[in-house]
Amino acid sequence: MAKTIDDAIIIGGGHNGLVCAFYLARAGLKVRILERRGLVGGAAVTEEFHPGFRNSVASYTVSLLNPKVIADMKLAHHGLRILERPISNFLPQEDGRYLKLGGGLDRTRAEFRRA
Ligand SMILES: Cc1cc2nc3c(=O)[nH]c(=O)nc-3n(C[C@H](O)[C@H](O)[C@H](O)COP(=O)(O)OP(=O)(O)OC[C@H]3O[C@@H](n4cnc5c(N)ncnc54)[C@H](O)[C@@H]3O)c2cc1C
């Protein structure tokens, strides 16, 4: 097996590991990421959870991703598209009623009045 020399080894290819690897590599370091799964992304990974339906299977909102990281990594160029959710939570009740929360305080208040 050929001998390779890495400047940095990152254990785990979740989004923090990937972002670290990007900045280290951009600074000229030779970086290796070791990911135990067959795909990278960690808890922010998109997977097909049912034939034809893809979604992030754990993390579901983009809340703290720094816009500088998005720009530096040219994520929009690589296909990142952030979609606004019309509602934040759908809460079904046992009696068949439901609450659709989010979309602003007025809309949430109206939903409680309706239910
Ligand atoms: C159910 C759930 C919902 C969430 N929802 C949101 C949300 O909506 N919005 C939000 O901003 N955040 C959310 N979070 C938090 C967010 O997902 C985490 O903060 C983020 O994923 C952390 O990223 P990370 O790269 O540090 O770790 P992770 O995403 O956990 O990635 C770690 C990676 O390391 C790999 N790994 C671990 N051990 C080893 C090893 N020994 N060898 C090789 N590889 C290894 C794992 O397979 C994984 O790919 C949620 C978390 C959970 C669990």
Side-chain angles (χ1 to χ4, degrees):
M1 191 171 136
K3 199 171 172 185
T4 56
I5 297 176
D6 303 307
D7 297 313
I9 296 176
I10 294 177
I11 313 291
H15 78 258
N16 282 317
L18 295 173
V19 170
C20 287
F22 166 79
Y23 282 112
L24 291 171
R26 197 172 75 163
L29 272 65
K30 190 165 184 297
V31 184
R32 182 180 300 267
I33 300 177
L34 301 177
E35 168 55 50
R36 67 180 166 188
R37 297 192 67 202
L39 73 175
V40 294
V45 75
T46 296
E47 291 182 272
E48 191 175 53
F49 60 92
H50 183 79
F53 293 89
R54 288 162 49 79
N55 200 358
S56 176
V57 289
S59 180
Y60 53 93
T61 56
V62 178
S63 21
L64 299 173
L65 183 54
N66 190 322
K68 181 174 181 342
V69 171
I70 295 177
D72 286 350
M73 295 182 78
K74 298 184 173 53
L75 294 183
H77 174 76
H78 291 292
L80 175 71
R81 194 159 62 97
I82 295 175
L83 303 174
E84 293 267 348
R85 295 181 304 167
I87 60 169
S88 53
N89 290 96
F90 174 74
L91 306 175
Q93 311 293 313
E94 286 183 3
D95 62 6
R97 293 183 302 156
Y98 60 85
L99 282 171
K100 287 191 293 182
L101 303 185
L105 190 57
D106 290 345
R107 202 161 152 181
T108 296
R109 281 184 175 144
E111 187 66 7
F112 273 100
R113 279 196 295 271
R114 179 194 62 76

